[in-house]
Amino acid sequence: MNNTFPKVPLLDLKAQYDNIKEEIKQAVDDVLESGQYVMGPYVDKFEKAIAEYCGVEYAVGVANGTDALLLTLDALGVGQGDEVITTPYTFFATAEVISQVGATPVFVDIEPDTYNIDVTKIEAAITSKTKAIIPVHLYGLPVNMDEVLRISKDYNLYVIEDACQAIGATYKGKRVGSMGTAGCFSFFPTKNLGGFGDGGIIVTNDAELAKKLRILRVHGSSPKYYHAMIGYNSRLDPIQAAMLQVKLQYIDEWNAKRRELALKYNEAFKDLPVHVPVQDSAPYLGVYHLYILATEYRDDLLAYLEKNGISSGIYYPVPLHLQEVYRELGFEEGSLPKSEQVSKMTLALPLYPELSEEMQEHIIAVVRAFYKERGI
Ligand SMILES: *Cc1c(COP(=O)(O)O)cnc(C)c1O
């Protein structure tokens, strides 16, 4: 391949900012002029907008997606001696928060096609200590929620949806985050709805839970300076809320663009020996947070892309049950084989709404040349 094509990044946040610069600057200025820099009307307004977008009653803004999960577990009383079922193939925060409240993560292997938690294996992992399930809508693809919710009813468990990568995705027409006891979102800059710094939010239809979360995020105080519980300092910044309010207007358009680009990749790679988790097969409608493909030749392909000026990424190289910090849980290599296999084979290609047709065609040509040169 020739190397004259400009470098292609995995993600280009500046390109998105450039398209909405004036609105973003105005939003920041509005907050600065308001004189209120913690909580206040811009946070309230954004919480209402997210609740409406997700089709739920309440939304509670917090400092980041990790805290959204952490405060929810805490508010639900999950703690010491409890077990929480989740997937080992996710960002570390999903399990980290379970450990932070003193509970134990119980990892259940993933489905080979979707890379999401294998719902047929959840029941076997339930014990008398199980309190909750955290399904993760990984890479923007919804989990089979009918099955998760059926199990949660049968065994009286909470369901906390980790929807940090999936805002806007739907399962049977319902937004992710709206189906469980609560849903958690992150506004980390690289997420589909990303801020210009950290941010997070919890959505729920449970009035008691929402009320408790609102108290927990301000040091457990209600009213101010009266503390009935130990809480956190974890609030969504009003400047972030105002900027996210601008971006929320575009999220459906951006998610649709991601889907369009992803479908083009799918079409271009369909005769290659790669596996791509399908995100748009009813009743699942994903939002392609990342465009992931699995290949036996992952490390070689990554090097080849790099050599040709294309950045790609490995999500996630080590499944959580094999992380050093979780050695004490007693998992060994081979204990959750699907997640181990997938973590060795997956690669993320550049995918973001501003990716040009020309750039995508270049990426496709380089991927195809890799296989052709090897005679595969
Ligand atoms: C990003 C992410 C989080 C954590 O969100 P932060 O805002 O970075 O704290 C949690 N779970 C998953 C699946 C994520 O992708």
Side-chain angles (χ1 to χ4, degrees):
M1 298 296 292
N2 74 53
N3 281 325
T4 56
F5 202 89
K7 284 201 179 310
V8 184
L10 183 56
L11 192 63
D12 188 351
L13 298 176
K14 177 70 162 58
Q16 183 159 85
Y17 172 64
D18 284 341
N19 287 338
I20 53 172
K21 198 178 250 181
E22 292 317 313
E23 285 176 279
I24 293 291
K25 285 183 171 166
Q26 185 61 54
V28 173
D29 196 48
D30 290 346
V31 178
L32 294 179
E33 290 294 337
S34 79
Q36 188 164 354
Y37 307 133
V38 171
M39 301 302 294
Y42 291 94
V43 174
D44 293 347
K45 188 176 168 206
F46 181 65
E47 287 178 340
K48 287 201 177 75
I50 287 288
E52 190 182 331
Y53 182 78
C54 293
V56 300
E57 290 289 324
Y58 311 100
V60 182
V62 290
N64 52 65
T66 306
D67 278 4
L69 293 161
L70 177 66
L71 269 67
T72 303
L73 284 170
D74 191 342
L76 294 171
V78 178
Q80 205 73 43
D82 295 335
E83 293 176 354
V84 178
I85 292 172
T86 193
T87 168
Y89 186 59
T90 175
F91 179 56
F92 185 64
T94 313
E96 185 179 29
V97 293
I98 299 169
S99 302
Q100 276 173 347
V101 295
T104 304
V106 173
F107 296 114
V108 167
D109 210 359
I110 58 171
E111 297 172 341
D113 285 346
T114 65
Y115 307 163
N116 278 333
I117 191 167
D118 188 338
V119 292
T120 65
K121 297 201 168 102
I122 292 176
E123 281 182 279
I126 294 173
T127 73
S128 59
K129 295 176 180 168
T130 310
K131 283 281 155 56
I133 305 171
I134 306 185
V136 180
H137 307 295
L138 197 71
Y139 305 139
L141 174 61
V143 169
N144 177 345
M145 287 305 291
D146 273 359
E147 198 49 21
V148 170
L149 294 172
R150 179 197 61 79
I151 294 166
S152 73
K153 283 202 187 76
D154 286 357
Y155 295 86
N156 197 24
L157 306 173
Y158 296 121
V159 174
I160 303 164
E161 292 177 67
D162 182 338
C164 287
Q165 301 187 358
I167 192 157
T170 58
Y171 172 75
K172 295 196 167 171
K174 289 190 201 119
R175 296 266 190 221
V176 296
S178 70
M179 295 169 274
T181 315
C184 298
F185 294 96
S186 163
F187 303 120
F188 189 79
T190 60
K191 303 293 157 95
N192 287 27
L193 180 60
F196 296 82
D198 282 301
I201 210 161
I202 304 136
V203 298
T204 184
N205 285 311
D206 182 332
E208 276 305 306
L209 176 60
K211 190 173 161 203
K212 193 155 180 196
L213 288 166
R214 288 185 200 288
I215 296 172
L216 276 178
R217 70 177 168 180
V218 288
H219 304 281
S221 65
S222 172
K224 205 171 181 182
Y225 305 126
Y226 290 79
H227 302 266
M229 54 184 113
I230 297 294
Y232 303 81
N233 176 358
S234 184
R235 296 170 291 229
L236 178 61
D237 189 283
I239 295 182
Q240 295 302 332
M243 292 190 286
L244 287 163
Q245 184 90 41
V246 171
K247 282 192 150 195
L248 183 61
Q249 300 169 258
Y250 300 101
I251 189 65
D252 288 342
E253 190 185 308
W254 287 335
N255 281 342
K257 186 69 197 180
R258 283 175 184 272
R259 198 172 290 133
E260 187 188 313
L261 292 164
L263 294 181
K264 189 157 169 205
Y265 275 141
N266 288 352
E267 186 62 27
F269 301 149
K270 69 178 181 206
D271 59 330
L272 298 180
V274 300
H275 176 258
V276 176
V278 176
Q279 295 219 5
D280 44 10
S281 162
Y284 304 88
L285 190 56
V287 289
Y288 285 98
H289 169 57
L290 294 174
Y291 186 84
I292 293 286
L293 60 79
T295 169
E296 259 183 85
Y297 311 97
R298 195 262 310 269
D299 295 343
D300 289 348
L301 177 58
L302 184 133
Y304 189 84
L305 288 162
E306 199 58 49
K307 201 180 79 189
N308 285 284
I310 299 166
S311 292
S312 57
I314 295 179
Y315 299 85
Y316 294 94
V318 181
L320 303 189
H321 66 287
L322 297 181
Q323 293 287 347
E324 187 182 340
V325 70
Y326 283 136
R327 214 172 272 167
E328 65 192 57
L329 297 178
F331 286 97
E332 286 167 9
E333 193 94 31
S335 48
L336 299 173
K338 295 284 184 272
S339 51
E340 292 165 31
Q341 192 187 351
V342 163
S343 63
K344 291 191 183 89
M345 293 177 70
T346 44
L347 183 75
L349 291 181
L351 179 75
Y352 45 93
E354 300 75 22
L355 184 73
S356 72
E357 202 179 321
E358 205 189 0
M359 277 173 154
Q360 190 181 27
E361 265 156 22
H362 174 62
I363 297 161
I364 288 169
V366 172
V367 170
R368 294 196 63 88
F370 170 82
Y371 285 98
K372 191 159 181 218
E373 279 180 24
R374 275 159 189 72
I376 307 163

